[in-house]
Amino acid sequence: MSTASPSSAPQAPASSHGLEAYHLHLMEAAKLAAQLTQHQKNALETIANQMARPGRGLLAADESVPTLGKRLVAAGLVNDEETRRAYREVLFSHPDLGEYLSGAILFSETLGQKAVKDAEGRLFPALLQSKGVLPGVKVDLGLEPLEYSARETHTKGMNDLMERCQEFYAQGARFAKWRAVIRIDEAANLPTRACMQINSAELARYAATCQACGLVPIVEPEILIEGAHSAETFARVTEAALSEVYYTLAQAKVFLEGTLLKPQMIMPGVDSPSEGRPRPEEAARRTLEALRRRVPPAVPGVVFLSGGQTEEQATQNLNLINQLAKRPASPFRPSSTTCPWILSFSFGRSLQASVLATWDGKDKNYEKAMEVAGALAKANAQAQLGEYQGPHPSVLKGQSLHETNRGWGANAGEGGGKGESTAGATATVPPSGETAA
């Protein structure tokens, strides 16, 4: 595989276009990082540590209009602004939500929407803050293919990012998320090193931009689970990607104490043979091993995405990871601490699917669906402590939450930024009829 060697110094991407963008992102990130005052750093570190608290995690409710729309339509509902608002009010309204969540990632539309069942009619950011839950926001604008590797992608949204981050902060957001995507295909020698490098440079510039605006950046280099690759391959690519990301963040002098990491748990591809798949304990071990080898201890927290697992699997695997993290890292160092970071969750569908099924768009189901939302958050908060025992509150009877095509095709048409253009970008859309999926 042509993935980066974790021990070698990264080189700039092939292609003059990619090389120019790579250096531009690093230069702009370093300029912003150099301007951070100690006061700004202290504020960012305070927020990051509020997010990475024991017994709490993040709700990822930042689905774009097309993505959430597909789920609503599949449930027999209408994809309009009021339905999206009403559904998210169910997710945010449990009175004890702040006991289980430290933050909630919102879509830009949601920042300006109101909780109509709230006695004070507050906007969602204010409602969440009243419960002790920090509001965050998705700031990327989806994916587009790399011009020099059409099945791989980079992330859109850099052109007006500073302007949008300033506006989101004014609306109450205190952290942000930007999703980069890495695809594994061993037969095609993917991922390429160039893909990991340009995405790492974009993550660095995004992180520095957010911090300049007072937002804590969640750094998300998502390794897709599509494919037939083994857990060993997934672990190798994860280590290479994390090595590239943190090398680049260091080059740009991004303030790591004011960031969080959002990775995938180590698992085989969804199309890998069922026989020989690793046990959950082995997946937890590999996940911790990759993090220990590649994530600096300055990072306050690691918040996992649920990656197409069932609701119960995501909770159980998080529980196993935290139980294993309490054990010595090595039998040769029995007194060694294993993890310097809080290991928690930033789950989307694993905190939502049963809620949507219970609510079903009916106001009479509001209270019941709200209780399911609280119960799912509580189960995962227990898993963050390694204390989850069950039974699980999922109503889906083990239904897989995997959604196909989470790469380029799934993000076509996403938007929401002002003035976003692809001029000077590192990628171009393939000719009509050609896809990068």
Side-chain angles (χ1 to χ4, degrees), residues 61 63 88 92 106-114 123-125:
E63 300 87 357
R88 279 160 171 160
F92 303 152
L106 312 183
F107 188 60
S108 54
E109 173 186 71
T110 317
L111 284 172
Q113 292 177 329
K114 288 185 176 181
L123 293 172
F124 283 138

Side-chain angles (χ1 to χ4, degrees), residues 231-291:
E232 291 85 354
T233 295
F234 198 104
R236 186 169 66 250
V237 172
T238 296
E239 287 192 32
L242 291 176
S243 177
E244 202 74 61
V245 165
Y246 283 107
Y247 173 88
T248 308
L249 292 178
Q251 288 291 100
K253 295 182 171 52
V254 170
F255 180 57
L256 294 183
E257 290 84 347
T259 68
L260 267 65
L261 172 68
K262 181 171 179 174
Q264 174 67 279
M265 299 176 190
I266 303 295
M267 60 183 64
V270 293
D271 298 322
S272 64
S274 56
E275 63 274 8
R277 291 174 72 90
R279 297 178 52 189
E281 293 81 1
E282 179 64 12
R285 184 191 67 78
R286 288 185 187 277
T287 299
L288 287 173
E289 189 173 76
L291 296 176

Side-chain angles (χ1 to χ4, degrees), residues 1-4 143-146 149-155 179-199 220-230 233-238 240-241 264 267 269-271 402-412 430 434-437:
M1 277 183 78
S2 60
T3 57
L143 310 173
E144 66 182 3
L146 291 170
S149 183
R151 291 189 62 220
E152 297 183 293
T153 58
H154 83 120
T155 307
R179 174 177 176 254
V181 165
I182 307 296
R183 180 185 297 278
I184 299 176
D185 185 337
E186 293 180 279
N189 287 325
L190 300 182
T192 62
R193 186 140 187 203
C195 173
M196 288 195 287
Q197 288 168 331
I198 196 63
N199 277 287
E220 182 180 1
E222 179 182 348
I223 316 293
L224 295 178
I225 59 174
E226 275 71 25
H229 50 270
S230 66
T233 295
F234 198 104
R236 186 169 66 250
V237 172
T238 296
Q264 174 67 279
M267 60 183 64
V270 293
D271 298 322
H402 175 245
E403 292 180 322
T404 59
N405 196 22
R406 279 179 50 80
W408 153 244
N411 291 270
E434 183 180 336
T435 69

Side-chain angles (χ1 to χ4, degrees), residues 353-369:
S354 282
V355 180
L356 179 57
T358 303
W359 177 57
D360 196 30
K362 298 179 175 65
D363 192 61
K364 68 178 182 179
N365 295 333
Y366 170 82
E367 293 287 341
K368 186 176 180 181

Side-chain angles (χ1 to χ4, degrees), residues 423-436:
T426 63
T428 55
V429 178
S432 178
E434 183 180 336
T435 69

Side-chain angles (χ1 to χ4, degrees), residues 13 58 99 111 117-118 133 169 183 206 245 257 259 289 375 418:
L58 306 181
E99 297 297 314
L111 284 172
K117 292 184 180 294
D118 176 51
V133 179
Y169 185 91
R183 180 185 297 278
Y206 140 78
V245 165
E257 290 84 347
T259 68
E289 189 173 76
K418 294 172 296 201

